[in-house]
Amino acid sequence: TRSTRPQRLLKAVQEKAMKGDPQSVISTIDYFCRHSEWAMNVGDEKGSILDSVVCEVSPTTALELGTYCGYSTVRIARLLPPGTQLITLEFNPAFAAVARQVIEYAGLHNKVCLVEGASGDMIPKMREMFGIKTFDFVFLDHWKDRYLPDIKLLEGCQLLRKGSILLADNVICPGTPEYLEYVRNSPHYKSMYYKSHLEYTKVEDGLEKSVFLG
Ligand SMILES: O=C(NC/C=C/[C@H]1O[C@@H](Sc2ccncc2)[C@H](O)[C@@H]1O)c1cc([N+](=O)[O-])cc(O)c1O
Ligand SMILES: [Mg+2]
């Protein structure tokens, strides 16, 4: 049967990237998506903004919602100091299988814990599963209609603290209107928009960074 796009993306990584070199894995995926097949990775332009926020926060505990092929997982994990932990949630077993291999190829498996399951089910289990008290940083890049319910769940489970940073992809395209309205109008958040472009295109998109105020 025909391979899937994530499988073809993984093949490109295994054939062209340097094993153990996260930057070359990132560059290989970006090249593949620009010149072979578009894929919904956060990409290089928004990825640089993601990098700068991760470096600014330098989180001890980080959560990613929506692993897909592991591109942003590698971007985040490569910037985390030893002893820190990135937990990434993925719902689709086929995507999770590809992501595990991409993360492993980049040599970052010791910094990443990929959990297969839906954010709605897994978020309430974070404390008991990982001994997490609160998350310093959360990257949202999963189903767009799950952004709002999932941050309300994080709040409800006391997994956010004063100063926790949320960074959301695709707030313009495909768009997350309810989420945006909430974080921009809630007294519990201070939000700012980083204007950019939809990965590998000229279409406008951007990232929304929101600080939880408690
Ligand atoms: O749809 C988009 N992303 C949805 C991503 C979804 C990812 O997260 C889980 S769902 C899940 C994971 C965890 N918990 C619950 C559900 C899916 O299996 C997929 O791996 C998207 C679309 C475009 N675009 O241009 O159309 C551009 C983008 O950057 C995008 O992120
Ligand atoms: Mg996205």
Side-chain angles (χ1 to χ4, degrees), residues 40-42 46 139-142 144 147 169-170 173-174 198-199 205:
M40 61 183 178
N41 314 119
V42 72
K46 288 185 289 179
F139 181 55
L140 298 96
D141 193 19
H142 59 330
K144 306 316 161 193
Y147 284 25
D169 189 26
N170 310 118
C173 176
L198 180 67
E199 49 268 27
D205 188 23

Side-chain angles (χ1 to χ4, degrees), residues 128-139:
E128 76 193 73
M129 282 175 77
F130 299 101
I132 296 277
K133 199 171 169 316
T134 55
F135 285 110
D136 301 327
F137 177 78
V138 182
F139 181 55

